[in-house]
Structures are given as structure tokens and as C-alpha cells.
Amino acid sequence: MKFASTSSYIASEDLAVAVNAAVALQRPLLVKGEPGTGKTELARQVSASLGLPMIEWNIKSTTKAQQGLYEYDAVSRLRDSQLGDARVNDVKNYIRKGKLWQAFEAETRVVLLIDEIDKADIEFPNDLLQELDRMEFHVYETGETIRAKHRPVVIITSNNEKELPDAFLRRCFFHYIRFPDIDTLRAIVDVHFPGIKEQLLTTALTQFYEIRETPGLKKKPSTSEVLDWLKLLLAEDLAPEDLKRDGKASLPKLHGALLKNEQDVHLFERLAFMARGRG
């Protein structure tokens, strides 16, 4: 099984190599990159490309590693025992399987996405070391050991909000998704908007890269944001001349799709004001 670009996802050559290397090594693939560069979508496309089911574990700031294995609902069991419910005789009735358990017991190999691992506390990655290494864990309440029937393809994403432990990094194959160059971005746009007029696309992408390269920008617009912007331009039936700006510093049409905070909007407004003053 080899991963490559799909009809709806353009994967660079080095990204495809990273995915296939992680699969061959049977190690988790740790993917970093700017928000909006397709890290989560990568896992879905790997699942589709390799013909494997996908299990998605979305990490929050409150997520604990144990939740990925299982959770024991002691409160419900206590309540049922007070009510005389016969279910209390089997502790398995109060075990809720986590995403790792689901992946381990799947009848076929699956793609397991652990999305935005850097949102959790610093101990979260370390708490998963043994389970991801050995592909097994112990259920203390029942005394059983859960072992993976088929080793899942594990894809872990991070937005680099915090550093991950060295012991965890050592067990992963790492890839950083660089922001695509203009030729790759054109190919991505062609997948989503086939037949878009060349002059409109050239004008829009030129403006987009000018915005990304503006010094002092707090949040650079991403791939997903340029796709949203192009969708709006097409919906409004704008022509290339409609995108004309009064200098590189002025705000682009429908800038709310590209600039996502007031600091960046004010930056362009200040730059435009200074440009007019110099004029």
C-alpha cells in the first residue's frame, strides 16, 4: 500500500514519502505545520487512499491519555447497585472503550488520527508512550490485556503550540508541512475550482502571497483561507480588475476571508494610510 495524491488532495512528494516511511516503519507519523495547511485532512486522505477505515480522536485541553484507552464509570455502577440493578455484577457494563481500544480491536487495519496533540497537557504524550510502542494496554478493572489485532496507521497532528517531550518525538516519524509554493497552490486550487479563469487566479494568488509576506502580520492566511477567498470571489463573479488595490498595503476585496483578527486589519489600514501620506 502506497500513499500518493488523490483526486481531492494534492500531496507534495516529500509528504507522500513521509507517510509511506511511517507506514513501513510502523511508527506514528507526527505532522506539524501552520493551521489550515491540511494536517487533519491528510489523515482522511490516507484513509481513503489506502482503503482503510478511520478513527478520529480530537484532543482538547481537558483530554487525558486514559480516555483514549477506556473510562470506568464507577458512579453509574454505584447508583445501579443502590437500585438493585443486576448489571452491577459485570464490571464490563461500566467500561467505555476509548479510541485506541476501538483501533486495537478493529477487525481490519485502521487509520488512527490523534488530532492536535499539543492542546493537551505536557504529560499527555508521555502517558501514551507504552501503548503506542507495544500496541497493548491493561484493563485493571477486568484484568484483561487489550492487544492490537492489526497495528493501526497512527497520524498525530500538532500546531506547535507547545513543545512535545523528546521521548515521544523519538518514537515518531516527523514531517513538517511547509506552506505550498505557488505552483503547488495552483494545483490545489485546480482540484477545488476546476476551470477557474487563469487571469483571475493569477491576480488573486499574487495578492494572496503579498499579504502573507507583509511584515508584522500576526496570523498569515493559510491554504484553507485562500480557498474560502477564491470561493467568495467566484460567488461574487468578480473579474481580475475588480481585485485592483491602491498599492500593496491596501485591504483586498472580501478581506475577512483572509485576515482573521483586528490587529492584522489595522496593520493594513495603517500601511495604506502611510502610503497615501507618502503619495
Side-chain angles (χ1 to χ4, degrees), residues 186 189-190 193-201 204 230 233-234:
R186 280 177 175 273
V189 171
D190 189 55
F193 306 110
I196 187 171
K197 292 180 180 177
E198 177 63 27
Q199 192 175 353
L200 175 64
L201 179 59
L230 288 170
L233 298 183
L234 293 171

Side-chain angles (χ1 to χ4, degrees), residues 9 11-19 29-39 42 118 155-161 163-164 169 172-180 212 220 222:
Y9 188 87
S12 62
E13 184 179 351
D14 58 342
L15 176 57
V17 167
V19 171
L29 173 63
L30 174 61
V31 184
K32 291 187 178 183
E34 293 178 31
T37 50
K39 300 185 295 297
L42 170 66
D118 52 325
I155 297 178
I156 303 170
T157 72
S158 169
N159 285 327
N160 233 4
E161 292 182 7
E163 289 295 322
L164 298 173
L169 295 174
C172 297
F173 190 93
F174 172 76
H175 182 76
Y176 184 87
I177 298 182
R178 294 181 178 85
F179 192 82
R212 273 189 59 87
K220 294 183 178 183
S222 66

Side-chain angles (χ1 to χ4, degrees), residues 81-128:
S81 67
Q82 293 170 339
L83 297 173
D85 193 323
R87 295 175 72 249
V88 300
N89 295 321
D90 188 354
V91 70
K92 290 183 180 180
N93 291 324
Y94 304 93
I95 300 289
R96 288 201 293 264
K97 298 177 181 178
K99 299 296 185 180
L100 264 72
W101 190 330
Q102 295 172 31
F104 285 5
E105 72 173 3
E107 294 300 326
T108 61
R109 196 178 194 187
V110 303
V111 173
L112 173 63
L113 169 64
I114 303 177
D115 200 25
E116 297 189 334
I117 194 171
D118 52 325
K119 280 187 176 179
D121 65 49
I122 194 64
E123 291 305 318
F124 181 92
N126 281 333
D127 292 343
L128 287 178

